[in-house]
Amino acid sequence: MPLALLTYALGLGERKRHFPAPQPLQKRYDVLIIGAGGHGLACAYHLAKDHGITKTIVIDKGYLGGGNTARNTTIVRANYLTEEGTAFYKESLALFENLSQELDLNTMYSKRGHLTLAHTDAALRTARWRAEVNKHLGVRSEVVGRHELRKICPQLNLSDEVRFPVLGALYHAPGAIARHDAVAWGYARAAYRRGVEILQNTEATGFQVERGRVVGVRTSRGTITAAKVVQAVAGHSSVLAHKLGIRLPIRTVPLQACVSQPYQPFLDPIVVSGSLHVYISQSARGEFVMGGATDPAELYDTRSTLEFKEQLMMHILELFPQLANANLLRQWAGLADMTPDFSPVMGKTPVKNYYIDAGWGTWGFKATPVCGKRMAECVATDKTPALLKPFALSRFDDFDLVGEKGAASVGH
Amino acid sequence: MPCPIHGERNIAEFFCKGPVLSMPNATRGTRQQWARYLFLAENKAGIVDEWWLHSPSSLWFVARRDTTSDEILQTWTIEAYRTQQQKKTTPKATPKATSKTTTR
Ligand SMILES: Cc1cc2nc3c(=O)[nH]c(=O)nc-3n(C[C@H](O)[C@H](O)[C@H](O)COP(=O)(O)OP(=O)(O)OC[C@H]3O[C@@H](n4cnc5c(N)ncnc54)[C@H](O)[C@@H]3O)c2cc1C
């Protein structure tokens, strides 16, 4: 037994708090961030680190990192379809690769390679399109045939004796997975160290508005005054923005996932099939992490359903028949904030001093570092960074959408 | 799902087709009205009227559902729903046509 575990069990030795105890509230903050998920915390960290703004408070109605950040299946990739999307996620990948050093916490970032299987000619065409856009922007992506696929992922069932035989795939070598909790905790701790306050179990219930500007947030612990306010609340985005009269292009839909019990290392790459609506990877713990597309209707409830698991397993077993006897260990859901174009909404809103970070649907974990960095820049300078411009809320009034459905509807 | 024609059927036979909204006028609707109709959903946590499709029979109908519990409260054929809506002076589940941004 390791010594540390033994001393802990015997109650010896000093127990260090991971995060400091909450302090009494200050009179006024420079920035208040609603939502202590990865996005809110990363924004707080970059406000402090890049812009010297440390009088920041992050509030969460639950616990830190307990929303979609805790529920996601941690796929990190940059092989998107649009130039705007690819450039944005490419920067996030670069930040992710260095994140453990940056935050002084092991995020267990593990480059696995990411395969998007094609079972139809149409899917192969989309793969080719994505590969060309990606290569043009310096992101490693290529279309591979069955022969190469067999080398990259020998475990995959390439037989023709299935309902939807695999024809080829889009291969994205930098595709990775990471430890989601470590990302949230790492940003939280690094933000704390720079003076940021984090207040859990505190729900934003309304706003104080004076002459069209937000000046404070009403919370379950009273009103907190702040010069600028950011909302980063994922599936609850519409409900919160509604209190300010802001309409969002968002539908809240559950996204379910599950893991098997741990097994010996078996599967290196992340395997996604857009046509079969499933994806799978094997975590560092040996669990098979599996999921698919969102539920069929809007819902503010994180229940799990049998339909989801039946659909999922039917197709997973076609791709990996070896898993037929694997046992499921856990299942859960998160509330995905889905947009019509499968792209996020970031930046300014019609209300002064109020900034939004939403529309992350099923794809926002990988964007945590870049979104935190660029949202911080937007809030600190009150100017929209070039990388965020295509994702403004106003794009829906301008009919100027950033269509990412072909690259984001299943492969999160 | 209690289908208004077929009675109770497995939910897997149905597709949810989004909230019942009144469409802007085809020639006179403004860009803003269309943007709101197409993209800027209310996304309410609560009771909503929605279009549903019974796939095997291609039947479209309206269901009232609670989006916090997934409970289906009532269903109507299109005709029955219209009659019910006309009886009311203020029809429910139509989007507010105004687009002014109010605070709070
Ligand atoms: C099952 C599943 C799998 C996914 N897989 C992937 C993947 O493989 N790759 C990927 O990139 N993305 C994935 N995603 C998406 C990703 O998880 C999210 O987009 C991302 O984590 C969003 O982070 P966030 O910080 O914005 O939101 P969250 O982590 O949800 O944080 C929002 C916080 O706001 C709080 N909050 C809400 N309302 C209030 C209020 N009124 N007052 C105070 N606090 C409030 C919540 O408690 C929550 O903690 C997946 C999502 C799910 C559900």
Side-chain angles (χ1 to χ4, degrees):
Chain A
M1 189 190 287
L3 187 63
L5 188 59
L6 189 67
T7 50
Y8 183 82
L10 296 173
L12 307 168
E14 181 195 355
R15 285 190 199 181
K16 264 205 282 176
R17 279 188 77 104
H18 201 75
F19 303 115
Q23 303 296 313
L25 282 177
Q26 298 186 43
K27 274 234 155 57
R28 187 171 187 277
Y29 292 88
D30 290 337
V31 180
L32 184 154
I33 299 173
I34 309 169
H39 282 236
L41 295 166
C43 180
Y45 168 72
H46 281 288
L47 277 170
K49 186 194 164 216
D50 303 346
H51 306 279
I53 299 175
T54 56
K55 234 173 132 182
T56 300
I57 185 164
V58 189
I59 65 169
D60 199 290
K61 68 174 180 172
Y63 57 92
L64 174 170
N68 287 355
T69 301
R71 296 154 197 272
N72 91 94
T73 47
T74 82
I75 297 171
V76 179
R77 61 186 179 92
N79 58 350
Y80 278 75
L81 189 64
T82 65
E83 287 187 37
E84 297 87 345
T86 306
F88 177 78
Y89 293 107
K90 183 186 172 193
E91 179 167 306
S92 211
L93 221 70
L95 292 167
F96 243 118
E97 287 180 356
N98 197 36
L99 200 59
S100 295
Q101 277 84 348
E102 171 102 20
L103 301 179
D104 187 22
L105 193 73
N106 190 357
T107 60
M108 299 175 78
Y109 190 73
S110 169
K111 251 188 232 182
R112 298 294 191 82
H114 181 280
L115 287 166
T116 310
L117 305 179
H119 308 255
T120 61
D121 286 341
L124 264 183
R125 273 199 299 277
T126 310
R128 181 79 64 196
W129 177 3
R130 283 168 70 179
E132 294 309 319
V133 171
N134 291 176
K135 279 187 275 189
H136 180 64
L137 294 169
V139 169
R140 281 171 63 204
S141 279
E142 57 188 313
V143 174
V144 294
R146 289 161 62 102
H147 184 68
E148 291 145 296
L149 203 48
R150 189 164 280 124
K151 281 191 245 161
I152 297 166
C153 189
Q155 304 87 338
L156 182 65
N157 181 16
L158 288 173
S159 154
D160 283 328
E161 306 292 305
V162 292
R163 190 143 163 236
F164 302 106
V166 177
L167 304 181
L170 177 69
Y171 182 55
H172 176 51
I177 51 176
R179 185 166 177 225
H180 46 357
D181 292 331
V183 171
W185 298 338
Y187 275 119
R189 196 178 61 172
Y192 265 128
R193 285 181 177 164
R194 289 168 191 268
V196 171
E197 293 172 33
I198 301 170
L199 198 57
Q200 306 182 74
N201 296 314
T202 308
E203 180 171 0
T205 54
F207 297 94
Q208 262 191 337
V209 182
E210 278 172 19
R211 278 171 274 117
R213 332 173 146 248
V214 168
V215 293
V217 176
R218 281 204 295 275
T219 79
S220 48
R221 291 181 203 254
T223 299
I224 306 176
T225 311
K228 293 180 176 181
V229 178
V230 182
Q231 84 158 64
V233 298
H236 297 93
S237 296
S238 303
V239 176
L240 193 60
H242 197 71
K243 295 183 200 288
L244 278 168
I246 302 172
R247 278 249 194 175
L248 297 179
I250 287 177
R251 297 182 313 118
T252 297
V253 192
L255 178 66
Q256 304 187 45
C258 57
V259 292
S260 72
Q261 68 179 65
Y263 290 92
Q264 299 274 329
F266 161 79
L267 183 65
D268 263 348
I270 304 150
V271 180
V272 181
S273 168
S275 312
L276 301 185
H277 292 253
V278 296
Y279 64 93
I280 179 167
S281 70
Q282 191 172 17
S283 74
R285 268 196 294 229
E287 298 166 337
F288 291 103
V289 181
M290 294 167 280
T294 55
D295 281 6
E298 291 167 25
L299 187 65
Y300 286 85
D301 187 10
T302 54
R303 86 280 179 266
S304 299
T305 66
L306 181 62
E307 286 93 11
F308 161 73
K309 287 183 285 289
E310 277 180 344
Q311 281 286 324
L312 180 73
M313 294 315 160
M314 183 167 80
H315 292 309
I316 288 279
L317 291 184
E318 216 169 89
L319 300 175
F320 296 100
Q322 309 92 320
L323 298 182
N325 293 320
N327 293 318
L328 274 196
L329 195 63
R330 291 192 308 278
Q331 54 175 312
W332 65 91
L335 299 183
D337 36 340
M338 303 298 289
T339 54
D341 56 0
F342 287 72
S343 284
V345 175
M346 292 176 280
K348 298 189 191 185
T349 70
V351 178
K352 269 227 145 83
N353 302 339
Y354 197 73
Y355 303 84
I356 188 151
D357 170 14
W360 287 108
T362 67
W363 52 85
F365 175 69
K366 71 181 69 60
T368 306
V370 67
C371 183
K373 188 177 162 87
R374 298 302 176 181
M375 277 301 295
E377 184 183 334
C378 182
V379 173
T381 63
D382 202 36
K383 291 198 186 77
T384 309
L387 216 49
L388 300 196
K389 281 214 170 105
F391 304 109
L393 174 57
S394 57
R395 76 176 182 273
F396 293 92
D397 281 327
D398 301 336
F399 292 82
D400 193 11
L401 276 56
V402 188
E404 280 293 2
K405 186 167 184 182
S409 62
V410 177
H412 311 319
Chain B
M1 164 68 83
C3 174
I5 299 286
H6 305 92
E8 296 225 334
R9 290 290 176 95
N10 192 325
I11 193 76
E13 293 180 17
F14 299 87
F15 291 97
C16 179
K17 296 290 185 178
V20 177
L21 302 171
S22 59
M23 195 163 78
N25 184 288
T27 48
R28 273 172 286 122
T30 63
R31 278 170 72 94
Q32 216 176 12
Q33 283 169 341
W34 277 106
R36 176 171 278 228
Y37 173 74
L38 291 169
F39 309 127
L40 302 171
E42 185 183 351
N43 194 23
K44 189 171 160 190
I47 293 165
V48 290
D49 289 359
E50 294 170 319
W51 289 112
W52 281 75
L53 169 65
H54 180 242
S55 172
S57 64
S58 300
L59 175 80
W60 286 75
F61 63 94
V62 176
R64 181 164 291 170
R65 189 172 65 98
D66 186 341
T67 61
T68 60
S69 64
D70 213 10
E71 198 184 343
I72 294 157
L73 304 167
Q74 206 176 340
T75 57
W76 296 268
T77 60
I78 298 177
E79 296 72 31
Y81 186 73
R82 289 224 172 103
T83 318
Q84 189 245 182
Q85 289 293 319
Q86 275 157 8
K87 271 193 217 141
K88 287 194 212 156
T89 40
T90 48
K92 255 198 153 177
T94 47
K96 287 175 204 94
T98 54
S99 55
K100 66 174 190 294
T101 312
T102 46
T103 46
R104 205 151 330 165

